[in-house]
């Protein structure tokens, strides 16, 4: 069995392993990491050999920690990363490069249709009816998007959204509320087979699916990092937030969508969102306006150029073929707008 894991902010770990009588055997760890002394690598292999095949990531990492020679130095490598690669091998996880990725980047659409398309795309991937897909959104109007479990009353200032002509919609994933405007927001979704994140914890899957974006931002001169649980941050502020939804149909799939702030009308944002003091204190700031630092200021690039560079970065890493929403997919999404996402019952399902 073969497993690979790119450690967020680090290097690639590759593990080949067999299982005999319920324990790991013939373990071989490799990768483009840096490790001293040389004796540390066979020590890692030996520590994993004989481990129960059902041992979790923490237990495997603990075995490695106990076996490392004194003074071991790891660069781009962690014992947790090695353990995760083992778990991915045992789960027979797939890799990004195992798939023919499709890009969907259509004309601007309504916020409520975007909510429905997300559900349709991930269900189609789970059923094997469409390839793994990167969908870049274009908005036709401003919107507040609340998480699946958020209270409409607590998160949205109804007077503010009415005054500014902002649509309010609810997505299928958890997480917090977002304010999006057509020229100020970059939003994308990844609809991926569950096998791509097999062997990863829920938290690790966020970092894993965001890693390509960190590379794209680095190419634009921005040093960014994953900040648990679901943020992408820089040294001057948060630039993006992610959310996920798991689908059990078929072979299973994961929806991972991210909203990035290219620019932001901070005054309008605080008038349409009710941003509580507890949330602000948790982020270590007294002002909602200071929580997000737009990409426009950090890159100096037009929004369209930022999106184009992100797409090019993904294509360079994993390959990407231009595609489109099929007629059947659009019809299903429009049905969901009528029966679910466009109804008061869904939007206010948590009042």
């Amino acid at each position: 069995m073969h497993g690979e894991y790119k450690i967020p902010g680090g290097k690639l770990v590759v593990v080949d392993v067999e299982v005999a009588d319920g324990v790991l055997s013939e373990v071989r760890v490799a990768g483009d990491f840096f490790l001293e002394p040389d004796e540390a690598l066979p020590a890692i292999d030996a520590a994993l050999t004989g481990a129960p095949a059902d041992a979790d990531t923490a237990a495997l990492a603990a075995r490695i920690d106990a076996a490392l020679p004194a003074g071991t130095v790891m660069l781009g490598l962690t014992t947790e990363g090695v353990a995760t690669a083992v778990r991915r091998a045992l789960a027979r996880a797939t890799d990004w490069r195992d798939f023919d990725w499709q890009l969907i980047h259509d004309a601007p659409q309504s916020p409520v249709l975007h909510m429905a398309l997300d559900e349709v795309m991930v269900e189609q991937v789970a059923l094997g009816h469409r390839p793994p897909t990167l969908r870049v959104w274009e908005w036709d109007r401003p919107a507040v998007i609340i998480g699946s479990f958020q209270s409409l009353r607590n998160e949205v200032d109804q007077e503010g959204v009415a005054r500014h002509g902002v649509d309010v919609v609810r997505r299928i994933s958890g997480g917090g509320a977002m304010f999006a405007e057509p020229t100020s927001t970059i939003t994308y979704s990844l609809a991926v087979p569950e096998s791509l994140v097999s062997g990863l914890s829920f938290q690790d899957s966020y970092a894993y699916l965001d890693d390509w974006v960190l590379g794209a931002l680095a190419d634009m001169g921005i040093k960014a990092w994953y900040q648990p649980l679901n943020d992408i941050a820089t040294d001057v502020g948060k630039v993006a937030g992610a959310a996920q939804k798991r689908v059990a149909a078929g072979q299973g799939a994961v929806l991972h969508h991210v909203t990035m702030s290219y620019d932001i009308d901070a005054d309008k944002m605080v008038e349409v969102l009710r941003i509580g003091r507890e949330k602000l204190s948790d982020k270590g700031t007294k002002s909602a306006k200071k929580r997000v630092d737009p990409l426009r200021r950090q890159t100096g690039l037009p929004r369209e150029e930022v999106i184009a560079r992100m797409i090019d970065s993904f294509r360079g890493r994993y390959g990407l073929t231009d595609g489109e929403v099929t007629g059947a997919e659009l019809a299903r999404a429009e049905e969901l707008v009528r029966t679910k996402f466009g109804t008061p019952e869904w939007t206010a399902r948590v009042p």
Side-chain angles (χ1 to χ4, degrees):
M1 288 170 277
H2 180 86
E4 298 186 4
Y5 180 55
K6 169 66 166 59
I7 297 173
K11 298 295 186 176
L12 179 69
V13 182
V14 180
V15 172
D16 291 286
V17 61
E18 299 297 334
V19 175
D21 298 325
V23 299
L24 306 187
S25 66
E26 300 183 38
V27 181
R28 294 292 181 269
V29 176
D32 60 354
F33 48 79
F34 300 91
L35 179 63
E36 295 289 348
D38 286 348
E39 292 76 19
L41 187 58
I44 293 173
D45 293 343
L48 293 169
T49 299
D54 60 356
D56 62 15
T57 301
L60 294 173
R63 289 177 69 102
I64 299 170
D65 285 330
L68 288 173
T72 294
V73 176
M74 295 181 170
L75 296 177
L77 178 69
T78 64
T79 55
E80 292 80 7
V82 175
T84 298
V86 172
R87 293 307 319 165
R88 285 178 59 76
L90 296 173
R92 301 187 185 278
T94 52
D95 182 75
W96 295 85
R97 294 175 295 276
D98 292 335
F99 302 106
D100 295 324
W101 290 88
Q102 187 173 109
L103 169 68
I104 294 177
H105 189 190
D106 288 337
Q109 294 164 321
S110 68
V112 69
L113 184 59
H114 279 307
M115 303 302 109
L117 282 170
D118 257 1
E119 180 167 312
V120 172
M121 293 292 103
V122 72
E123 286 184 346
Q124 291 300 296
V125 170
L127 294 170
H129 295 163
R130 81 158 19 255
T133 300
L134 167 64
R135 186 171 74 90
V136 180
W137 304 19
E138 296 291 349
W139 303 85
D140 72 355
R141 70 197 75 173
V144 165
I145 307 97
I146 60 175
S148 181
F149 311 108
Q150 287 189 295
S151 162
L152 177 64
R153 182 187 305 114
N154 291 343
E155 298 298 329
V156 179
D157 187 311
Q158 295 293 346
E159 292 183 1
V161 297
R163 182 168 62 256
H164 291 292
V166 175
D167 283 10
V168 179
V169 292
R170 185 186 294 274
R171 62 182 185 268
I172 59 173
S173 62
M178 306 180 301
F179 173 52
E181 292 187 290
T183 60
S184 302
T185 306
I186 298 172
T187 306
Y188 68 85
S189 300
L190 285 170
V192 308
E194 188 176 27
S195 63
L196 185 62
V197 296
S198 292
L200 298 179
S201 68
F202 189 82
Q203 177 171 314
D204 286 344
S205 72
Y206 274 86
Y208 185 69
L209 295 176
D210 282 338
D211 189 66
W212 73 274
V213 183
L214 304 187
L217 292 174
D219 291 341
M220 288 180 265
I222 299 177
K223 179 177 173 52
W225 59 86
Y226 162 74
Q227 183 170 296
L229 171 65
N230 60 335
D231 289 347
I232 297 174
T234 70
D235 57 2
V236 291
K238 171 183 172 180
V239 296
Q244 286 187 5
K245 177 66 176 179
R246 308 288 174 115
V247 173
Q251 298 300 307
V254 178
L255 171 69
H256 180 91
H257 43 201
V258 174
T259 292
M260 311 179 77
S261 293
Y262 170 74
D263 202 352
I264 193 166
D265 186 334
D267 292 321
K268 187 184 297 185
M269 180 181 73
V270 297
E271 290 179 16
V272 299
L273 292 178
R274 299 184 184 278
I275 301 178
R277 294 179 181 177
E278 183 175 347
K279 181 179 292 186
L280 293 178
S281 64
D282 180 58
K283 301 295 182 181
T285 180
K286 296 181 179 180
S287 172
K289 300 178 184 180
K290 296 179 180 178
R291 288 184 58 203
V292 180
D293 192 78
L295 293 173
R296 179 185 61 81
R297 181 165 61 248
Q298 294 198 50
T299 65
L301 297 171
R303 174 180 177 274
E304 294 74 17
E305 179 68 15
V306 174
I307 292 174
R309 292 195 184 192
M310 289 173 59
I311 291 172
D312 286 346
S313 180
F314 191 102
R315 181 176 284 114
R317 283 177 173 230
Y318 311 125
L320 196 58
T321 301
D322 292 345
E324 60 183 13
V325 177
T326 68
E329 289 169 341
L330 181 59
R332 172 59 177 156
E334 290 172 339
E335 178 187 3
L336 286 173
V337 168
R338 292 190 298 271
T339 61
K340 181 176 179 179
F341 293 100
T343 66
E345 290 78 13
W346 170 259
T347 306
R349 76 184 190 111
V350 183

